[in-house]
Amino acid sequence: MPLVDPRFGARLRVLRLSRGLSLRALGQLAHRGKSHLHDLESGTKAPTPDTAAHLDRVLQAGGTLASLVDQPVDHDAEAEDLLARVKASDVSAETLARIEAGVDDLASAYATTAPADLLPLVRRHLACVGRLLDGRVTLAQRRRLVVAGGWLTVLRATVHVDLQHRSAAGAHLAAASRLALEGEHPEIQAWCLETQAWRSLIEHDHRRALDLCRQAQRAAPRRSSAHIQATAQEARVWARLGDVRRTRRTLDRLGQLTANLPVPERAEHHYRYDPTKALAYTATTLAWAGDPAAEQAARAAVAELDPRGDGGDRPRRSASARLDLALALAARQPDEASAVAAEAISAGRVVPSNWWRAGEVLRRIERTGAPEAAALREVYEEHRPAGRHSGQ
């Protein structure tokens, strides 16, 4: 039997009268007999929880009547049921380990795999995470799956940025940010902000990029990979803004953060900062800032990334380093700049989101009037991604 507060009858009567209803009128509204309602008000009969909830709705009492009627509680049974639900899972430890290893594999493949080829692999892995979340998982397993989904989603957004799928990138960055919140993972949140900063930078919204870099640094755990990467990104933004002093200061901060930093076990993992990237980042930043030291840094980066001259083990980074060198050389040595830029472009490793850098080098060389510019223009037009206009 339900437990009924003795005040139920009196409360029902007050509510009925305050709305100007007779017992008959309330009975018509509630589809209950007049005598049954009289027995409830007088306490002769006890209401069921369903009846109390129904009268609540009819009298618009906001749950007042239902709160006075309760079912007897078997506390031991409820506690045991909750514990059983928490422990119930259809996901094995091996499955979770494979999911997390797959996240690391895909993040490591980012540097060497064409974005269009990587995207379907990331999507398939995300679909698997989604299916597992639909099943029975423990609380600990759910958090691990949410975190794995967060990493995969920010990686997917990054690939969409590379492919210049603007709306898709925005949607998945927003989703990754929510997953980071759900999984209580500040580093994923910071990577979302850093990726947004990169997108703003390549869209030439430099002030927004700067704000996002600073947000990422605040969100990221101190000295984490996301914190270091956001600092490197900030230096590049200052370079695009033409502030050489702040560019240098930020590079100094980056140097302090990466001093004595060990090379990670998987150096190409996109979300683990590799200190060997520092030279390439410095070359890019100085070239964008127009700093005379850019040439030396870019030459050193090319030699480090591609010692054999065949693209090396990091062909995408090698192509970017050559574009940095070409940009640094464009004004003074347009002939060498043209040759270096043509090599970078013809390697086929410049992703669509970076194509504007090739266009910038081409325009710089064309402004010098160097005869080599025409040949570079031909290489540029031959390799430019579909949908990109000449010189962009």
Side-chain angles (χ1 to χ4, degrees):
M1 290 291 292
L3 301 175
V4 181
D5 191 300
R7 295 170 295 174
F8 179 88
R11 186 60 184 156
L12 174 59
R13 176 179 172 79
V14 168
L15 287 168
R16 174 176 64 81
L17 293 175
S18 69
R19 284 155 180 75
L21 297 172
S22 64
L23 283 170
R24 184 182 301 278
L26 177 58
Q28 290 173 343
L29 288 173
H31 305 291
R32 297 289 190 277
K34 172 184 173 181
S35 59
H36 177 66
L37 294 173
H38 177 270
D39 290 342
L40 292 179
E41 288 189 359
S42 63
T44 306
K45 288 185 177 179
T48 66
D50 286 345
T51 296
H54 178 65
L55 290 170
D56 252 327
R57 289 191 293 272
V58 170
L59 292 168
Q60 299 179 342
T64 300
L65 295 174
S67 69
L68 299 175
V69 180
D70 198 6
Q71 293 280 19
V73 177
D74 184 340
H75 295 285
D76 290 336
E78 286 194 0
E80 287 301 320
D81 180 62
L82 177 61
L83 289 173
R85 288 174 183 272
V86 168
K87 293 177 182 176
S89 174
D90 297 324
V91 180
S92 68
E94 292 76 17
T95 297
L96 267 178
R98 283 199 303 273
I99 287 290
E100 290 167 339
V103 172
D104 288 335
D105 289 343
L106 291 168
S108 299
Y110 173 80
T112 55
T113 308
D117 295 332
L118 185 61
L119 183 57
L121 302 179
V122 177
R123 290 181 64 188
R124 280 202 292 272
H125 216 68
L126 265 171
C128 182
V129 171
R131 287 193 296 272
L132 292 174
L133 283 170
D134 283 339
R136 291 191 307 167
V137 291
T138 67
L139 293 175
Q141 288 174 335
R142 175 180 171 77
R143 184 180 183 277
R144 287 173 66 182
L145 286 169
V146 168
V147 168
W151 284 122
L152 289 168
T153 305
V154 72
L155 178 60
R156 178 174 180 175
T158 303
V159 175
H160 282 300
V161 170
D162 285 338
L163 293 170
Q164 297 205 300
H165 299 161
R166 198 173 190 281
S167 61
H172 293 294
L173 278 172
S177 182
R178 290 196 297 271
L179 287 168
L181 208 61
E182 178 77 16
E184 299 178 334
H185 205 293
E187 188 160 13
I188 296 177
Q189 182 66 54
W191 275 109
C192 290
L193 292 164
E194 190 278 338
T195 305
Q196 290 180 62
W198 169 242
R199 187 172 72 162
S200 295
L201 180 59
I202 63 180
E203 291 174 354
H204 310 296
D205 189 351
H206 301 137
R207 288 295 172 183
R208 174 166 168 73
L210 183 62
D211 180 55
L212 288 164
C213 286
R214 289 170 169 173
Q215 287 185 50
Q217 289 170 62
R218 288 194 295 270
R222 178 71 179 167
R223 301 185 77 89
S224 65
S225 291
H227 183 255
I228 295 170
Q229 181 66 24
T231 304
Q233 201 72 273
E234 182 188 341
R236 295 202 280 192
V237 177
W238 283 123
R240 296 310 292 184
L241 287 167
D243 193 324
V244 178
R245 183 178 62 85
R246 284 192 169 127
T247 299
R248 283 284 188 177
R249 283 172 54 186
T250 310
L251 284 175
D252 287 343
R253 263 198 296 129
L254 179 63
Q256 292 168 10
L257 288 171
T258 57
N260 303 317
L261 190 70
V263 176
E265 185 178 339
R266 302 180 77 159
E268 284 307 314
H269 196 297
H270 189 60
Y271 299 112
R272 293 177 191 161
Y273 189 84
D274 174 9
T276 63
K277 293 178 181 176
L279 181 57
Y281 277 123
T282 299
T284 300
T285 305
L286 294 178
W288 288 359
D291 192 304
E295 179 185 342
Q296 182 180 350
R299 288 191 189 279
V302 170
E304 180 182 276
L305 291 167
D306 188 9
R308 301 181 303 273
D310 58 359
D313 298 327
R314 303 166 184 179
R316 189 185 299 182
R317 285 168 60 185
S318 175
S320 293
R322 282 184 165 81
L323 289 178
D324 294 334
L325 178 56
L327 187 62
L329 293 170
R332 294 178 297 100
Q333 297 170 251
D335 53 344
E336 184 182 358
S338 296
V340 172
E343 192 175 357
I345 293 169
S346 59
R349 290 291 184 166
V350 180
V351 297
S353 63
N354 247 347
W355 194 250
W356 63 275
R357 295 174 64 183
E360 182 176 29
V361 171
L362 174 61
R363 291 192 298 276
R364 291 274 186 96
I365 295 172
E366 286 181 332
R367 282 201 293 268
T368 69
E372 293 84 2
L376 179 59
R377 166 67 66 176
E378 288 184 13
V379 174
Y380 179 91
E381 294 296 344
E382 180 184 351
H383 290 87
R384 69 183 176 90
R388 302 296 294 169
H389 298 295
S390 300
Q392 286 188 343

